[in-house]
Amino acid sequence: MSENVITPPSAPVVVLDHPLVQHKLTRLRQASTSTAGFRRLTREISLLMAYEATRDLPLETVEIETPLEHMEGRLLSGKKLCLVSILRAGNGILDGMLDLLPAARVGHIGLFRDPESLEPVEYYMKLPEDIDVRVCIVVDPMLATGHSAAAAIDRLKTAGARQLVFVCLLAAPEGVAFLSAAHPDVKIITCSIDRELDEHGYIRPGLGDAGDRLFGTK
């Protein structure tokens, strides 16, 4: 997959510029896209993002038999993946990734953004017990201020996670800078870094509230 890699002060950021990603993202942004269409497009983009997020998974050589002969093949090595959804909107990305990675374990972290302070407030967390030996792909459609993402990764590290990637549809420069400074070891994968945050903490030009558009709640 073609990509542009930019280097902010700390963690690497990968912006996916594949034509299919950009086509689907443009349709996702449109205000006229229905709830059903928004869900479908999010699921399709999520599958493409999962491809990039798993690029560096380790492989091991195994002996197998094809219908014609013996050969050496390669399979994923050791404990594999944990997909961690930041509720509620992260579930829109989670569903698409599970289409590609059905054997992955799944964790959930419930956070909401206080409308006054814009700070994250945790209300739920459930993770696999062996999260310390799995690559954790943390998913949330928007990286706005970066506070919720950083808080979620703080909790995951406290729980023992050591290998983390953060995946989102859109990011604001402010969110990239905040998350990169807070967690310089965590790669950020996104489809676009948009212009800015507005006074309400929304990404501009953005796509609106991803959770509301996914679940038809507004």
Side-chain angles (χ1 to χ4, degrees):
M1 180 177 289
S2 174
E3 65 190 41
N4 294 324
V5 179
I6 63 175
T7 307
S10 318
V13 180
V14 178
V15 180
L16 302 181
D17 66 355
H18 191 285
L20 282 176
V21 171
Q22 293 303 313
H23 170 81
K24 293 177 186 296
L25 178 62
T26 297
R27 294 183 60 196
L28 195 70
R29 290 183 189 269
Q30 290 178 290
S32 59
T33 298
S34 67
T35 298
F38 194 92
R39 286 186 195 140
R40 177 178 53 79
L41 287 163
T42 299
R43 197 178 191 111
E44 291 171 355
I45 295 173
S46 300
L47 192 149
L48 296 170
M49 291 194 297
Y51 173 86
E52 183 61 37
T54 56
R55 177 181 292 277
D56 298 324
L57 291 180
L59 296 170
E60 61 183 2
T61 301
V62 297
E63 304 282 335
I64 66 167
E65 297 288 337
T66 79
L68 299 177
E69 62 180 82
H70 182 84
M71 69 164 285
E72 289 187 345
R74 295 192 296 170
L75 294 175
L76 292 176
S77 178
K79 294 287 186 181
K80 302 178 179 68
L81 293 170
C82 178
L83 303 177
V84 181
S85 170
I86 299 179
L87 299 174
R88 65 180 168 146
N91 283 357
I93 296 178
L94 175 67
D95 290 343
M97 289 197 170
L98 284 172
D99 288 344
L100 184 65
L101 306 165
R105 299 291 177 89
V106 175
H108 294 89
I109 297 180
L111 297 168
F112 68 88
R113 186 169 61 174
D114 183 279
E116 298 298 327
S117 68
L118 302 183
E119 293 294 324
V121 179
E122 180 184 322
Y123 62 88
Y124 180 81
M125 186 172 79
K126 184 72 172 179
L127 304 171
E129 292 183 354
D130 59 354
I131 196 170
D132 59 315
V133 294
R134 293 179 180 271
V135 176
C136 294
I137 300 175
V138 185
V139 298
D140 195 5
M142 317 296 276
L143 179 59
T145 65
H147 293 183
S148 293
I153 291 171
D154 282 339
R155 297 292 286 116
L156 287 165
K157 287 183 174 180
T158 298
R162 294 178 293 173
Q163 304 174 75
L164 295 121
V165 179
F166 183 82
V167 177
C168 59
L169 293 172
L170 297 181
E174 297 91 335
V176 170
F178 187 90
L179 183 55
S180 295
H183 295 286
D185 57 322
V186 176
K187 179 188 287 187
I188 300 168
I189 297 175
T190 186
C191 301
S192 176
I193 298 179
D194 279 13
R195 186 179 68 249
E196 62 185 358
L197 290 180
D198 66 18
E199 65 274 18
H200 303 294
Y202 282 96
I203 298 173
R204 297 283 186 153
L207 50 74
D209 187 296
D212 285 338
R213 297 194 68 186
L214 277 165
F215 303 114
T217 49
K218 186 174 289 186

